[in-house]
């Protein structure tokens, strides 16, 4: 029987491990299939506090892990196959590798994944001009043209934000009308830096070591055109990595775990949530880390109360 299992190894999971380790809870961190989380796929991070120069995402998460291990956290390179939660615990976690763990408390920190079109060039040029986070990477594209793909509120928000930096923003959408709310659509359409490319789809992103252009196919006449651009942003929304917990804890319609009040507590007593799996608004490394801190403190206090 363990005090605490942390499912996920991004900023939320590792920060929770640091705090839980310092509280002598000896937590286990189950890393998942992508140890370190989505941040390991980001080359330069300029907006994480404490670094005056850009820091590599993989190196940042390696530092997170070392700090967690320093305070006694056990890192388990495995993924969770299923969970059996019950009010007040103990909680059972079945691993893909075949093992099982029983714990008094659990922190879910499985993050969220951006939606992509799924074309090969997106993967090939990831972090080389291809991004799914304007807030994270927009400042790298000053005074150059960029392409944003999408037609919902997320795409409008990203495109408007990116006009602060880019010389021009091409907003590519498959339809001839937007799915976005009227207020967001109006804001984007009134912005002189945004040019809409209607009824079109991205065929390919051109470039060897960086984005040079984007090939666009008109879905009505089949013509393919080339947009000169130095950046490509997929603004198709995010999916929380919570399918594993469906029916186990309370979620909203999109699958984001719903914390109770201003805490990290979930609908199951003894189970807590932190990071992007419970945050549809910000999805930043620093906010995820803060949520991981909250979850560890909540778990520590809960375990202390249970021991009385």
């Amino acid at each position: 029987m363990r005090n605490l299992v942390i499912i996920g190894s991004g900023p939320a999971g590792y920060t929770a491990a640091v705090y839980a380790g310092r509280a002598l809870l000896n937590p286990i961190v189950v890393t998942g299939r992508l140890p370190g989380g989505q941040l390991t796929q980001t080359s330069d991070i300029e907006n994480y506090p404490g670094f005056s120069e850009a820091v590599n995402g993989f190196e940042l998460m390696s530092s997170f892990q070392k700090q967690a291990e320093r305070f006694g956290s056990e890192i388990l390179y495995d993924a969770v196959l299923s969970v059996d939660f019950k009010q007040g615990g103990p909680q059972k976690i079945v691993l893909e590798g075949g093992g099982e763990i029983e714990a008094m408390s659990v922190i879910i920190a499985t993050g969220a994944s951006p939606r992509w079109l799924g074309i090969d060039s997106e993967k090939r040029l990831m972090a080389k001009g291809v991004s799914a986070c304007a807030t994270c990477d927009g400042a790298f594209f000053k005074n150059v043209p960029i392409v944003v793909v999408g037609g919902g509120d997320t795409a409008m928000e990203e495109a408007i934000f990116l006009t602060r930096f880019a010389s021009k923003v091409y907003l590519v959408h498959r339809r001839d009308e937007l799915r976005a709310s009227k207020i967001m659509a109006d804001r984007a359409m009134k912005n002189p830096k945004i040019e809409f490319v209607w009824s079109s789809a991205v065929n390919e992103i051109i470039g060897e070591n960086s984005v040079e252009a984007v090939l666009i196919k008109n879905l009505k006449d089949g013509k393919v055109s080339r947009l000169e651009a130095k950046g490509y942003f997929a603004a198709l929304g995010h999916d929380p990595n919570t399918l594993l917990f469906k029916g186990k804890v309370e979620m909203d319609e999109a699958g984001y775990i719903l914390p109770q009040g201003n805490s990290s507590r979930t609908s199951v007593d003894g189970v807590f949530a932190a990071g992007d799996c419970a945050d549809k608004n910000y999805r930043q490394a620093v906010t995820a880390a803060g949520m991981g801190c909250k979850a560890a403190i909540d778990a520590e206090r809960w375990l202390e109360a249970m021991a009385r």
Side-chain angles (χ1 to χ4, degrees):
M1 179 66 65
R2 302 297 294 247
N3 285 318
L4 174 64
V5 171
I6 299 166
I7 304 174
S9 57
Y14 278 144
T15 301
V18 168
Y19 275 78
R22 293 185 76 247
L24 305 180
L25 297 182
N26 303 115
I28 294 180
V29 178
V30 183
T31 62
R33 296 192 188 98
L34 183 61
Q38 295 286 335
L39 217 59
T40 60
Q41 299 181 327
T42 302
S43 56
D44 292 329
I45 299 168
E46 290 189 325
N47 57 0
Y48 197 86
F51 295 89
S52 58
E53 301 294 333
V55 59
N56 178 274
F58 182 84
E59 293 174 0
L60 179 62
M61 295 318 301
S62 295
S63 295
F64 269 61
Q65 178 178 331
K66 290 174 183 175
Q67 189 175 12
E69 289 178 308
R70 176 188 165 201
F71 294 114
S73 298
E74 180 182 342
I75 311 300
L76 186 59
Y77 293 96
D78 206 334
V80 174
L81 180 64
S82 64
V83 296
D84 182 11
F85 289 163
K86 59 184 179 181
Q87 294 292 348
Q91 315 300 348
K92 182 183 288 186
I93 295 147
V94 179
L95 302 171
E96 287 188 352
E100 289 186 5
I101 307 172
E102 276 197 324
M104 289 300 299
S105 62
V106 171
I107 293 174
I108 301 169
T110 47
S113 299
R115 297 176 193 146
W116 299 96
L117 291 179
I119 57 178
D120 290 340
S121 47
E122 279 180 327
K123 295 179 181 178
R124 182 171 56 81
L125 290 168
M126 186 81 67
K128 298 177 181 178
V130 169
S131 174
C133 181
T135 307
C136 310
D137 300 325
F140 294 116
F141 298 92
K142 292 178 180 177
N143 303 315
V144 295
I146 59 175
V147 168
V148 174
V149 180
D153 280 352
T154 297
M156 301 307 110
E157 290 171 6
E158 300 273 275
I160 292 167
F161 178 82
L162 288 166
T163 59
R164 302 180 188 184
F165 310 102
S167 59
K168 190 178 192 64
V169 176
Y170 295 101
L171 209 160
V172 179
H173 185 42
R174 296 182 62 87
R175 303 175 186 175
D176 56 8
E177 60 181 3
L178 297 170
R179 293 181 289 105
S181 60
K182 188 176 186 306
I183 187 170
M184 291 303 300
D186 287 346
R187 285 178 188 171
M189 287 181 175
K190 289 176 181 177
N191 193 307
K193 278 192 172 183
I194 297 176
E195 180 178 325
F196 285 84
V197 184
W198 301 106
S199 304
S200 298
V202 173
N203 263 15
E204 187 181 358
I205 306 165
I206 304 298
E208 290 298 322
N209 298 311
S210 63
V211 173
E212 297 174 6
V214 179
L215 295 185
I216 305 295
K217 180 180 180 180
N218 187 290
L219 299 177
K220 290 186 175 179
D221 59 22
K223 291 182 180 179
V224 176
S225 58
R226 177 183 171 112
L227 294 178
E228 300 297 327
K230 297 298 183 182
Y232 168 97
F233 285 80
L236 305 169
H238 288 73
D239 293 312
N241 302 324
T242 57
L243 187 60
L244 177 67
F245 310 105
K246 189 174 182 180
K248 309 291 185 180
V249 296
E250 188 178 355
M251 303 177 183
D252 67 9
E253 292 182 356
Y256 287 92
I257 297 172
L258 293 172
Q260 306 295 299
N262 193 34
S263 74
S264 65
R265 294 172 181 263
T266 70
S267 56
V268 178
D269 197 26
V271 177
F272 307 85
D276 291 6
C277 65
D279 173 21
K280 64 167 63 175
N281 294 315
Y282 302 105
R283 291 190 297 268
Q284 298 297 303
V286 68
T287 53
M291 292 176 75
C293 165
K294 285 175 60 175
I297 292 172
D298 286 345
E300 177 194 356
R301 291 173 178 172
W302 183 86
L303 286 165
E304 184 178 351
M306 291 291 290
R308 290 173 185 167

